[in-house]
Amino acid sequence: MSASAVFILDVKGKPLISRNYKGDVAMSKIEHFMPLLVQREEEGALAPLLSHGQVHFLWIKHSNLYLVATTSKNANASLVYSFLYKTIEELEEESIRDNFVIVYELLDELMDFGFPQTTDSKILQEYITQQSNKLETGKSRVPPTVTNAVSWRSEGIKYKKNEVFIDVIESVNLLVNANGSVLLSEIVGTIKLKVFLSGMPELRLGLNDRVLFELTGRSKNKSVELEDVKFHQCVRLSRFDNDRTISFIPPDGDFELMSYRLSTQVKPLIWIESVIEKFSHSRVEIMVKAKGQFKKQSVANGVEISVPVPSDADSPRFKTSVGSAKYVPERNVVIWSIKSFPGGKEYLMRAHFGLPSVEKEEVEGRPPIGVKFEIPYFTVSGIQVRYMKIIEKSGYQALPWVRYITQSGDYQLRTS
């Protein structure tokens, strides 16, 4: 079953806007939501689903807004929450107050008789007839996507040059303790597409997926085991479940095709060692050594190493073997910037600070050293796009372009 009505409330629980889709739950029932929410919060029993008699409230909070769906039936909760999260992507209280008519029109297109209909922002732009507080007049036209089997792509798209750009982006999350042991290591990957293709093409993407290699009897040596895989709605999930084929009719332009995670142990790509010496409470010297532990033919760009310093430090002086260092007192860090850091290289930075004559006691351990970087043409997991097949009834030739990028995510090394 589905939602009966949807409400957008301000932070005090006052309805800003609402839409009754089915009429089987009185709209006045929303008055019970905020007192129930406050009561459950005080009891420490707050839950994403609250009930008052026969009425159930499925809710989420976004910024200073509450989005609430009501139902008196046994609703499909995951469907309702998915709809609510899609709805809040660009909502703010001020924009709602300024655009009531557009929001009502949007709610009408998002859901029909309590069932989610179209939530793709690009397609919804075809439906909305309001612009700058003026109602467009003229013939009412049903957007072609309404009758399409593929709601996320319009028909009749034409390009002089047919191309697909594929970006494989991997972020490395890493936490290393003061002893040099890796406490946390994971890779979060996304595959993003930029599609400039005519017509209604079907695309098939081939990866060096370990499960696929096992199914087809290939060697597993150069394959990767993908976890927590999530796809854009255009991907045929039944096809992927059957034979691991990623088959889809793509939206036009930019979109994220899929995301994945790998929890395999990652060797730190940029390794940091630091030594701190204090001299008679009057000065402190910090030595930081950075080493690129990735292959020599790769280069890390835009490297930033954030080194914490005592909050009472002053009179900074720096010496670097490469790049530049600057003191950021409001953050109590030195930022060592290196534009280009080849694999296998090792660099040094020395920092000298004066300290007040009376030393402050450090109540807590020093914050970790943080590292930011981006390595093009490289993936730490070894994932590869083996092929991209483009099938369209007109038979045109199209060029797929692939780019690999590894970048830092939450990348920290503790020093004490």
Side-chain angles (χ1 to χ4, degrees):
M1 297 299 294
S2 54
S4 300
V6 171
F7 297 82
I8 301 177
L9 314 178
D10 66 15
V11 74
K12 295 180 181 178
K14 180 184 176 183
L16 296 173
I17 200 164
S18 60
R19 184 69 174 87
N20 191 352
Y21 292 106
K22 300 182 76 173
D24 58 345
V25 175
M27 297 295 278
S28 60
K29 295 292 185 182
I30 194 64
E31 295 171 5
H32 300 292
F33 170 73
M34 189 54 70
L36 192 60
L37 184 77
V38 173
Q39 179 191 339
R40 290 294 178 86
E41 197 166 18
E42 289 174 350
E43 295 171 353
L46 197 57
L49 191 150
L50 303 174
S51 299
H52 183 272
Q54 297 296 312
V55 180
H56 308 293
F57 302 101
L58 294 89
W59 66 279
I60 58 174
K61 187 178 181 184
H62 170 69
S63 187
N64 55 348
L65 298 171
Y66 289 96
L67 266 78
V68 186
T70 59
T71 179
S72 61
K73 308 290 184 183
N74 185 19
N76 182 335
S78 61
L79 179 67
V80 174
Y81 282 115
S82 179
F83 172 81
L84 292 178
Y85 277 108
K86 270 287 186 182
T87 304
I88 67 167
E89 283 180 355
E90 295 183 17
L91 283 184
E92 290 180 3
E93 183 177 341
E94 189 176 339
S95 65
I96 291 172
R97 292 186 187 279
D98 292 344
N99 298 282
F100 274 119
V101 178
I102 293 176
V103 176
Y104 270 117
E105 193 172 354
L106 188 62
L107 289 172
D108 282 342
E109 303 300 350
L110 284 167
M111 190 175 276
D112 183 28
F113 195 63
F115 291 92
Q117 186 170 248
T118 299
T119 57
D120 189 287
S121 59
K122 288 182 181 178
I123 301 305
L124 285 166
Q125 287 170 14
E126 298 184 30
Y127 291 66
I128 304 304
T129 58
Q130 294 285 332
Q131 282 189 348
S132 303
N133 300 321
K134 288 184 180 179
L135 180 63
E136 291 183 358
T137 57
K139 287 187 178 180
S140 172
R141 182 181 70 86
V142 177
T145 46
V146 173
T147 53
N148 273 0
V150 182
S151 62
W152 54 86
R153 184 180 178 89
S154 300
E155 291 185 355
I157 296 171
K158 290 183 180 178
Y159 287 100
K160 289 182 178 178
K161 190 175 183 181
N162 292 288
E163 295 178 300
V164 179
F165 296 88
I166 307 166
D167 279 349
V168 181
I169 304 167
E170 292 191 337
S171 296
V172 179
N173 296 331
L174 185 79
L175 179 60
V176 178
N177 70 9
N179 299 325
S181 301
V182 176
L183 301 178
L184 170 80
S185 169
E186 69 171 4
I187 303 162
V188 178
T190 57
I191 297 181
K192 297 181 178 181
L193 268 62
K194 190 176 287 187
V195 176
F196 303 109
L197 296 175
S198 305
M200 199 66 73
E202 179 178 334
L203 276 57
R204 290 177 193 162
L205 179 71
L207 303 173
N208 57 333
D209 174 12
R210 182 160 298 175
V211 177
L212 173 64
F213 278 34
E214 287 174 352
L215 286 171
T216 54
R218 293 189 183 94
S219 168
K220 296 188 290 183
N221 290 343
K222 293 186 178 180
S223 62
V224 294
E225 189 169 354
L226 304 177
E227 303 171 33
D228 295 342
V229 180
K230 295 175 185 174
F231 288 111
H232 186 276
Q233 62 174 323
C234 67
V235 175
R236 296 187 175 96
L237 295 181
S238 57
R239 182 80 189 270
F240 181 77
D241 289 339
N242 287 336
D243 59 12
R244 306 291 283 194
T245 297
I246 303 170
S247 176
F248 57 100
I249 295 172
D252 188 43
D254 298 345
F255 73 103
E256 185 177 298
L257 176 68
M258 63 181 285
S259 64
Y260 59 89
R261 183 179 63 84
L262 293 96
S263 55
T264 52
Q265 192 81 358
V266 178
K267 183 181 180 182
L269 297 172
I270 294 180
W271 181 254
I272 304 291
E273 293 177 17
S274 69
V275 177
I276 297 178
E277 287 187 89
K278 288 186 178 179
F279 298 90
S280 64
H281 309 322
S282 62
R283 61 191 176 95
V284 62
E285 289 188 3
I286 302 171
M287 189 276 289
V288 177
K289 181 166 69 173
K291 184 178 181 181
Q293 298 190 143
F294 47 94
K295 57 186 182 180
K296 292 181 180 180
Q297 56 266 47
S298 294
V299 176
N301 296 327
V303 177
E304 281 191 2
I305 301 167
S306 300
V307 183
V309 299
S311 58
D312 54 347
D314 59 23
S315 309
R317 297 203 313 269
F318 306 109
K319 187 177 181 181
T320 60
S321 62
V322 71
S324 62
K326 68 175 180 178
Y327 178 39
V328 185
E330 62 270 21
R331 290 173 51 196
N332 296 320
V333 296
V334 170
I335 296 181
W336 180 16
S337 301
I338 305 169
K339 287 184 179 179
S340 181
F341 196 138
K345 292 289 184 180
E346 190 172 291
Y347 299 121
L348 286 173
M349 185 272 289
R350 293 182 185 275
H352 179 284
F353 288 89
L355 291 175
S357 56
V358 179
E359 182 187 22
K360 285 186 180 178
E361 288 290 327
E362 290 190 20
V363 180
E364 298 179 357
R366 293 176 64 243
I369 292 176
V371 186
K372 292 182 180 179
F373 59 85
E374 185 172 283
I375 309 174
Y377 318 112
F378 174 79
T379 59
V380 67
S381 71
I383 193 170
Q384 291 178 350
V385 174
R386 295 173 49 245
Y387 63 83
M388 168 68 84
K389 292 181 181 175
I390 302 166
I391 304 158
E392 215 280 330
K393 61 183 180 182
S394 64
Y396 60 70
Q397 295 296 309
L399 295 171
W401 305 90
V402 184
R403 181 173 61 171
Y404 299 96
I405 301 169
T406 290
Q407 60 190 19
S408 56
D410 188 6
Y411 194 105
Q412 299 183 337
L413 299 96
R414 291 178 181 165
T415 55
S416 63

